Amino acid sequence: MFHVKHQPGITTPLQARGHLVAFDLAAGAGRKEAAALLRRWSETARRLMAGEPSAQDDTGIARDAGPSSLTVTFGFGHSFFGRTGLEKQRPDALDPLPDFSSDHLDRTRSNGDLWVQIGADDALVAFHALRAIQKDAGSAARVRWQMNGFNRSPGATAHPMTARNLMGQIDGTRNPKPTESDFDERIFVPASGGSGDPEWMANGSYAVVRRIRMLLDDWDQLSLKQQEDVIGRRKSDGAALSGGSGATETTEMDLEKTGSDGKLLVPINAHARISRPDQNGGAAMLRRPFSFHDGIDKDGIPDAGLLFVCWQTDPLRGFVTVQRKLDRGDALSKFIRHESSGLFAVPGGAAKGGYVGQGLMEG
Amino acid sequence: MFHVKHQPGITTPLQARGHLVAFDLAAGAGRKEAAALLRRWSETARRLMAGEPSAQDDTGIARDAGPSSLTVTFGFGHSFFGRTGLEKQRPDALDPLPDFSSDHLDRTRSNGDLWVQIGADDALVAFHALRAIQKDAGSAARVRWQMNGFNRSPGATAHPMTARNLMGQIDGTRNPKPTESDFDERIFVPASGGSGDPEWMANGSYAVVRRIRMLLDDWDQLSLKQQEDVIGRRKSDGAALSGGSGATETTEMDLEKTGSDGKLLVPINAHARISRPDQNGGAAMLRRPFSFHDGIDKDGIPDAGLLFVCWQTDPLRGFVTVQRKLDRGDALSKFIRHESSGLFAVPGGAAKGGYVGQGLMEG
């Protein structure tokens, strides 16, 4: 489960609960302490994913549920390399993302030296893993930010593979599929090392993490028709608006088709049109988000939206390309706000008896 | 589902997701507006619990999942009666709770004119219901506070009826059971009206709602043995510490039994001992909580714990009696902090074609 080619939590089906947490190394902690921490974390992840108690005093808060689809995924942020004297090993792909006009970024909830993604189908199993990971950090690292997310409960719907987000839209229809021949090339750094990627990133991937607030009170003022025009897909089943009554979520979108009024059925600024890979030079990323809902903010409006996590071989050809395009003309942009941002290098899976990032730490 | 003797969400099995939300009537809104709001809310609850779209523009965010065990429960706070000119109908049972030494109450997250509890096994179904209830409020009421909670996913464990909280303890073993002969008497106001209860509270119940923060970093410093001594039960299976290896969660606790060292096996200040009904003049309440986890607070410690909700015919004989006792000598009190408090009168279920609270509003 844990010792695999690619880290778990990337192609794993969406889980009902998720925790994202970023750590900064403590003052005085360097390469040695970081390596020891990664070893502890890997051992904890291995044990919990096998349904065993964690290595250190286990808090026992998730006894009796087994692993419940638990995955734990580890990544490195740009700042990690300077703090550990490993600047020469820093991938160019970790260069800071460009600014986007829809950004309202909170720096305290962005980036970080280390990033951990936890997912599980049971809330207590996920929480227990988060506590164990925090306990492992000990005096080597402190939590920089932490966010909680969720997806639908297992079995709740007939659409187990495609999520519905808090705007009510089916989200992820055009995701690359592991069965597609170019999937690995788009999502994972090659085993032989990528062009420009350091060797330790073999079989790894890059994660872009954005806390995307949805302005739901504004969104809910729109009629169903208006909402569907913003997205370009039917809300009920996710079919493209160019499709007829028999169309489904996977029916090919017809970008040129017009209605009886001569207007494009999928509007020119519809989110699903603009974000299509074929409108972005083939750019593709694997979106694997969680929804979030942190109650109401101080203005009384819902603090809810999407913990957007996407995976790609190269952030410049994946997320950045698509986001630049969206930034210029996406009808959805009025209803969302990017509140935080992170970019992390996620190495391949740990070798048996080894730990995640060993190639970097001991390379 | 919705039109039943008692409101749903009281004896309903724990759901995976919960939202608690309190509203205050808007300035200028009185009895008439409140009655209209309760009628809208009841209709929305009825429809959503049947898996239908809500009455007003449905946001469609939970299409395709059906009701997913959804319940919506409505209650009235002390302040409601003054604002609607219904002081004479205010139950004595809504008199403010006494102060407890463990209270660190945030008034802005306590009480409220109206209270709604939403529970469902799917996160989107619960969120959709919350949005619909907020939309129904319109200009008649504004959100005073709102909290999110969760329990384990359906099927995650072999203990579907007894929850495990974020401290890892099985919680709710001694809850009264609907199969017990005195269950109704302890939990619900009689159909004929209770002693001192107004007629409109027939078949109703009183809910005490406390946001109980768990000081998990302190708790996790204890050994397993120390944690079990604080509670008086084994963590693994919830069996009382007086039981042997064959004991189970439901094996009767032996309060006098001592170990080979002559000490009581269930310590004198153990939570499970002190909170027992037979140690509190038979006081009993039905605890039906959700866990909460709102990330980390500004001091970097987990903002997590229990959204404690308990149900009883009389708060003075239920919650207050037990809490007074706990207040004086509960070993658990060092590890928890009551951060908010609410007390609500929850009337019986709506009559067919009627709405919740109709007996009060039109009485």
Side-chain angles (χ1 to χ4, degrees):
Chain A
M1 290 279 292
F2 182 68
H3 294 293
V4 284
K5 184 175 170 190
H6 309 298
Q7 284 195 61
I10 303 174
T11 56
T12 311
L14 295 173
Q15 296 124 320
R17 303 285 299 191
H19 301 295
L20 306 183
V21 53
F23 293 84
D24 284 335
L25 290 174
R31 180 171 172 176
K32 190 180 138 207
E33 291 75 14
L37 173 56
L38 286 160
R39 190 180 279 284
R40 288 197 297 277
W41 275 351
S42 294
E43 176 62 6
T44 291
R46 186 192 66 72
R47 294 173 74 128
L48 295 181
M49 284 178 58
E52 301 167 13
S54 55
Q56 297 197 65
D57 305 327
D58 190 88
T59 57
I61 52 180
R63 285 169 191 274
D64 69 33
S68 293
S69 313
L70 177 71
T71 59
V72 187
T73 318
F74 303 95
F76 300 99
H78 186 274
S79 54
F80 178 82
F81 299 84
R83 297 205 178 152
T84 50
L86 290 164
E87 289 94 340
K88 285 187 181 156
Q89 293 295 328
R90 179 159 56 207
D92 296 341
L94 283 187
D95 285 353
L97 297 173
D99 293 331
F100 300 103
S101 64
S102 58
D103 287 357
H104 294 73
L105 302 184
D106 176 353
R107 299 289 160 191
T108 65
R109 291 201 287 185
S110 295
N111 298 312
D113 294 347
L114 292 154
W115 175 69
V116 187
Q117 172 192 262
I118 294 165
D121 276 333
D122 180 57
L124 243 66
V125 169
F127 185 78
H128 178 225
L130 175 66
R131 294 291 297 164
I133 291 295
Q134 285 183 261
K135 185 177 278 194
D136 280 344
S139 59
R142 58 167 193 78
V143 173
R144 177 181 172 89
W145 53 260
Q146 196 252 302
M147 300 175 190
N148 301 326
F150 58 91
N151 285 297
R152 313 202 77 164
S153 296
T157 80
H159 292 272
M161 292 303 293
T162 309
R164 201 182 274 278
N165 63 33
L166 296 187
M167 285 176 159
Q169 292 291 343
I170 296 272
D171 188 3
T173 304
R174 292 280 304 186
N175 252 344
K177 313 276 183 301
T179 49
E180 293 164 358
S181 60
D182 57 355
F183 180 83
D184 272 14
E185 180 190 324
R186 290 161 178 248
I187 309 305
F188 294 112
V189 174
S192 54
S195 55
D197 284 298
E199 214 170 298
W200 64 269
M201 271 298 287
N203 297 320
S205 186
Y206 293 94
V208 174
V209 182
R210 313 275 284 191
R211 186 185 200 266
I212 304 180
R213 176 83 162 265
M214 293 174 171
L215 307 177
L216 293 174
D217 286 347
D218 298 339
W219 177 251
D220 287 345
Q221 307 257 325
L222 302 188
S223 67
L224 176 63
K225 171 76 170 69
Q226 290 172 318
Q227 291 184 352
E228 290 181 334
D229 280 347
V230 166
I231 303 295
R233 291 186 177 277
R234 288 201 297 249
K235 209 167 187 180
S236 58
D237 57 9
L241 296 182
S242 55
S245 59
T248 70
E249 183 188 343
T250 53
T251 302
E252 194 61 26
M253 185 180 287
D254 184 341
L255 296 173
E256 310 303 329
K257 195 168 176 187
T258 52
S260 53
D261 59 359
K263 286 186 185 161
L264 286 167
L265 286 173
V266 178
I268 199 74
N269 61 352
H271 181 75
R273 170 192 288 268
I274 296 184
S275 57
R276 279 170 66 90
D278 57 12
Q279 302 287 300
N280 293 284
M285 51 196 180
L286 177 67
R287 288 167 289 148
R288 192 176 182 282
F290 294 91
S291 291
F292 74 87
H293 178 211
D294 293 337
I296 50 173
D297 72 7
K298 59 180 170 27
D299 301 319
I301 62 173
D303 189 6
L306 197 69
L307 298 180
F308 175 94
V309 182
C310 76
W311 299 91
Q312 59 257 293
T313 309
D314 179 353
L316 281 183
R317 289 195 298 123
F319 175 78
V320 171
T321 300
V322 177
Q323 187 59 26
R324 277 214 176 102
K325 187 86 178 285
L326 291 173
D327 214 32
R328 284 196 296 269
D330 177 18
L332 186 60
S333 62
K334 273 171 58 180
F335 302 97
I336 59 175
R337 201 161 60 197
H338 288 233
E339 296 191 330
S340 79
S341 179
L343 171 58
F344 303 99
V346 174
K352 265 223 155 98
Y355 60 93
V356 171
Q358 190 163 15
L360 168 64
M361 304 312 295
E362 301 177 13
Chain B
M1 289 280 291
F2 182 67
H3 295 293
V4 284
K5 184 174 170 189
H6 308 298
Q7 284 195 62
I10 303 174
T11 57
T12 311
L14 293 174
Q15 295 125 320
R17 303 284 299 191
H19 300 297
L20 307 183
V21 53
F23 293 86
D24 284 335
L25 290 173
R31 181 170 172 176
K32 191 179 136 208
E33 291 76 13
L37 173 56
L38 287 159
R39 190 180 280 282
R40 289 197 296 278
W41 274 352
S42 294
E43 176 61 7
T44 291
R46 184 192 66 73
R47 294 174 73 129
L48 294 181
M49 284 177 58
E52 302 167 12
S54 55
Q56 298 196 65
D57 305 327
D58 190 88
T59 57
I61 51 179
R63 285 171 192 274
D64 70 33
S68 292
S69 314
L70 177 71
T71 59
V72 188
T73 318
F74 302 96
F76 300 99
H78 187 274
S79 54
F80 178 82
F81 298 84
R83 298 205 177 151
T84 50
L86 289 164
E87 289 93 341
K88 285 188 182 155
Q89 292 295 327
R90 180 160 55 209
D92 295 341
L94 284 187
D95 285 353
L97 297 173
D99 294 331
F100 300 103
S101 64
S102 58
D103 287 357
H104 293 73
L105 303 183
D106 176 353
R107 299 288 161 192
T108 66
R109 291 202 287 184
S110 295
N111 298 312
D113 293 348
L114 291 154
W115 176 70
V116 186
Q117 172 193 260
I118 294 165
D121 276 334
D122 180 58
L124 243 66
V125 169
F127 185 77
H128 178 226
L130 175 65
R131 293 291 296 163
I133 290 295
Q134 285 183 261
K135 186 178 277 195
D136 280 343
S139 59
R142 57 167 194 79
V143 172
R144 178 181 172 88
W145 53 258
Q146 195 252 301
M147 300 174 189
N148 301 327
F150 58 91
N151 285 297
R152 313 203 77 164
S153 296
T157 81
H159 291 274
M161 294 303 294
T162 309
R164 201 182 275 277
N165 63 33
L166 295 187
M167 284 176 159
Q169 292 292 343
I170 296 272
D171 187 4
T173 303
R174 292 282 304 186
N175 252 343
K177 312 276 183 301
T179 47
E180 293 165 359
S181 61
D182 57 355
F183 180 83
D184 273 14
E185 181 189 325
R186 288 161 178 249
I187 309 305
F188 294 113
V189 174
S192 55
S195 55
D197 285 298
E199 214 169 297
W200 64 269
M201 272 297 287
N203 296 320
S205 186
Y206 293 93
V208 174
V209 181
R210 313 276 284 191
R211 186 185 201 267
I212 305 180
R213 176 83 161 266
M214 292 172 171
L215 307 177
L216 292 174
D217 285 347
D218 297 339
W219 177 250
D220 287 345
Q221 308 258 325
L222 302 190
S223 68
L224 175 64
K225 170 75 169 71
Q226 289 171 317
Q227 291 184 351
E228 290 181 333
D229 280 346
V230 166
I231 304 295
R233 292 184 177 278
R234 289 202 295 252
K235 210 168 184 179
S236 58
D237 58 8
L241 296 181
S242 54
S245 58
T248 70
E249 182 188 343
T250 52
T251 302
E252 194 61 26
M253 185 179 288
D254 184 341
L255 296 174
E256 311 302 330
K257 195 167 175 188
T258 52
S260 53
D261 58 359
K263 286 185 186 163
L264 286 166
L265 286 173
V266 178
I268 200 74
N269 62 352
H271 181 74
R273 170 193 288 268
I274 295 185
S275 58
R276 279 170 65 90
D278 59 12
Q279 303 286 300
N280 292 283
M285 52 196 178
L286 177 66
R287 288 167 290 148
R288 191 176 182 282
F290 295 91
S291 290
F292 73 88
H293 176 211
D294 293 338
I296 50 173
D297 72 8
K298 61 180 168 29
D299 300 318
I301 62 173
D303 188 7
L306 198 68
L307 299 180
F308 174 94
V309 181
C310 75
W311 300 90
Q312 59 257 295
T313 309
D314 179 355
L316 281 183
R317 290 195 299 124
F319 174 77
V320 171
T321 300
V322 177
Q323 187 57 25
R324 277 216 177 100
K325 188 84 178 287
L326 292 173
D327 214 31
R328 283 196 296 269
D330 178 19
L332 186 60
S333 63
K334 271 171 61 180
F335 302 98
I336 59 175
R337 199 160 61 196
H338 288 233
E339 296 190 330
S340 79
S341 178
L343 171 58
F344 303 100
V346 173
K352 264 226 155 95
Y355 60 92
V356 170
Q358 189 164 15
L360 168 64
M361 303 312 294
E362 303 176 12

